[in-house]
Amino acid sequence: MAKIMVVDDETDLEMLIKQKFRKQIRQNEYEFLFAINGQDALDKLDANPEVDIVLSDINMPEMDGLTLLSRLHESKPLIKSVIVSAYGDMDNIRVAMNRGAFDFITKPINFEDLTITMEKTLKYASEIRRTLKAIKENNILKMYVDENVLNFMGGQEYESKIMANEIIEGTVMFVDVCGFTRISETTAPDMVVGMLNTYFDAMVKEIMEQDGIIDKFIGDAVMAVFRGEYHLDRAIDAALAIRYQVNHFPEVRGEEGFKPKVSIGIKSGEMISGNIGSATLRRLDYTVIGDTVNTAARLQDVAKENQIIICEGCYEKVKEAFKCKGLGSVAMKNKEHEVTIYNVVE
């Protein structure tokens, strides 16, 4: 139902409007509100912010229609206005349009013309509101969905390619906040979420600084993917920066002895990139999967506080750029042979 405010000091107009649009009022297509001048209209609009359009006369006491236009344009730009006045000379029309009027109708009112103008104005106001809603929803979507997914969705025929995938070369990094599960059992939920978001924000900034992609947040851990030139080097640089930042967070109040630390696992190699999930349920996760991803997660599992663990293959690629310390070999789940690991020191 469209809400329309009529602003006019001629009280007979209220009765006339109700008579001419009685069918639309009965069918809940229109709801009319009435004000006797500009100030009265502004007061009633504050109490009825859902009004779609305003039909206003020009010549009224206390606040005229042209002043009302200016005030509406400044404080309520979504509400579209149509001037309905006997003063239909070009000067008044130009002033009204310059002050934000959507259209101008002269008195005596031709109600057929008024109806067409109202419908046109309501349609325009509705389109503006839908556009703003879409922008708001898109901004919210960006908080939950990676930019690569949004770019993919913006491409042509994305629905027909939604289950497509590709093999890529890149580096996967898992970062876990050590000991966080323990304090979450004894700390207020809002404090837990606030702390975790603070840590995540610091991590994300360092990952993005190295052109990494945040794949997902998993409880108190972050999964990130790096592609392009020097993807392994950039992942390690991000890991070193994350460790440094987290080590400089203060001790948590009320949790004596807890100071945030991270454990990190990194692995580079081939992986499958694409939408993983159910097309029928329309719940998909744009992510990477494969042995490289699984190994990076296992490396993070064996990492201790402040350790950045890489495998021997990665060490051979970066040993001249980073100082690493060998930690021997460890057995990993679903791995036939033990894996030689290194801790990146600096």
Side-chain angles (χ1 to χ4, degrees):
M1 181 170 58
K3 279 200 171 186
I4 303 163
M5 175 168 284
V6 179
V7 188
D8 201 307
D9 61 336
E10 294 181 13
T11 55
D12 292 345
L13 183 62
E14 179 175 344
M15 185 67 68
L16 189 58
I17 290 285
K18 289 179 177 179
Q19 289 175 354
K20 292 294 184 179
F21 294 102
R22 59 184 180 277
K23 180 179 178 182
Q24 291 90 335
I25 294 172
R26 285 200 306 267
Q27 294 177 347
N28 290 326
E29 294 177 14
Y30 295 159
E31 178 184 351
F32 287 94
L33 303 174
F34 297 90
I36 58 174
N37 58 53
Q39 186 57 57
D40 186 32
L42 291 175
D43 293 340
K44 289 180 177 177
L45 285 172
D46 287 337
N48 298 273
E50 67 278 8
V51 167
D52 296 293
I53 65 173
V54 169
L55 308 178
S56 177
D57 193 9
I58 289 181
N59 189 20
M60 296 178 291
E62 191 169 349
M63 182 186 292
D64 62 48
L66 297 178
T67 304
L68 173 62
L69 279 177
S70 298
R71 296 283 296 275
L72 287 176
H73 186 68
E74 293 172 0
S75 62
K76 304 180 188 301
L78 291 184
I79 299 178
K80 297 304 167 187
S81 304
V82 175
I83 291 295
V84 183
S85 174
Y87 297 92
D89 57 278
M90 186 56 65
D91 286 342
N92 275 315
I93 292 175
R94 286 183 59 81
V95 171
M97 303 307 284
N98 287 335
R99 295 191 183 188
F102 184 77
D103 210 332
F104 197 112
I105 292 177
T106 57
K107 291 182 178 179
I109 299 173
N110 179 323
F111 278 90
E112 182 178 351
D113 182 33
L114 178 61
T115 301
I116 293 172
T117 302
M118 285 168 47
E119 289 296 330
K120 179 180 66 174
T121 310
L122 285 167
K123 181 179 179 181
Y124 181 78
S126 177
E127 289 173 353
I128 292 294
R129 291 182 187 275
R130 282 199 300 269
T131 300
L132 290 176
K133 181 181 178 183
I135 292 172
K136 181 178 179 181
E137 291 173 346
N138 187 55
N139 289 335
I140 294 173
L141 183 64
K142 287 180 179 178
M143 295 173 64
Y144 292 90
V145 182
D146 184 80
E147 184 178 355
N148 286 332
V149 181
L150 296 176
N151 292 338
F152 173 75
M153 290 168 62
Q156 294 182 348
E157 301 177 353
Y158 78 91
E159 287 191 351
S160 64
K161 300 177 181 178
I162 202 161
M163 298 304 291
N165 57 70
E166 60 177 333
I167 296 177
I168 66 167
E169 181 78 20
T171 297
V172 179
M173 175 172 71
F174 284 87
V175 185
D176 184 72
V177 182
C178 302
F180 200 79
T181 302
R182 175 179 58 82
I183 72 162
S184 65
E185 295 174 352
T186 59
T187 306
D190 56 341
M191 185 176 178
V192 169
V193 172
M195 290 162 52
L196 197 56
N197 285 342
T198 299
Y199 303 153
F200 279 163
D201 194 49
M203 297 177 194
V204 166
K205 287 177 182 177
E206 300 302 338
I207 292 168
M208 294 177 66
E209 181 69 23
Q210 297 297 331
D211 294 327
I213 300 167
I214 307 301
D215 187 284
K216 61 176 66 71
F217 297 98
I218 314 166
D220 54 8
V222 179
M223 174 183 169
V225 181
F226 297 80
R227 300 176 64 175
E229 292 186 331
Y230 300 103
H231 50 79
L232 177 56
D233 297 66
R234 290 187 284 110
I236 295 175
D237 279 332
L240 290 168
I242 287 171
R243 183 172 67 184
Y244 175 84
Q245 293 293 342
V246 173
N247 281 341
H248 282 77
F249 277 113
E251 186 174 297
V252 178
R253 292 180 181 179
E255 291 293 333
E256 188 175 352
F258 178 77
K259 198 171 185 303
K261 304 287 182 182
V262 291
S263 59
I264 302 175
I266 296 174
K267 177 70 169 70
S268 67
E270 287 189 345
M271 61 198 85
I272 299 172
S273 172
N275 286 291
I276 310 300
S278 169
T280 302
L281 187 61
R282 303 187 73 83
R283 290 287 299 275
L284 301 170
D285 189 11
Y286 192 76
T287 185
V288 290
I289 60 172
D291 182 67
T292 297
V293 180
N294 296 337
T295 302
R298 302 285 182 264
L299 290 171
Q300 185 278 311
D301 285 340
V302 302
K304 296 182 173 61
E305 287 186 357
N306 276 336
Q307 286 188 338
I308 302 169
I309 300 301
I310 61 176
C311 64
E312 188 170 20
C314 291
Y315 167 73
E316 292 297 329
K317 295 177 181 178
V318 300
K319 62 183 179 181
E320 294 182 359
F322 298 93
K323 181 180 179 181
C324 304
K325 179 181 178 181
L327 299 179
S329 299
V330 295
M332 289 188 180
K333 183 179 179 181
N334 297 329
K335 293 290 183 182
E336 184 177 352
H337 303 289
E338 291 190 340
V339 176
T340 302
I341 61 173
Y342 295 80
N343 177 37
V344 181
V345 179
E346 57 184 3

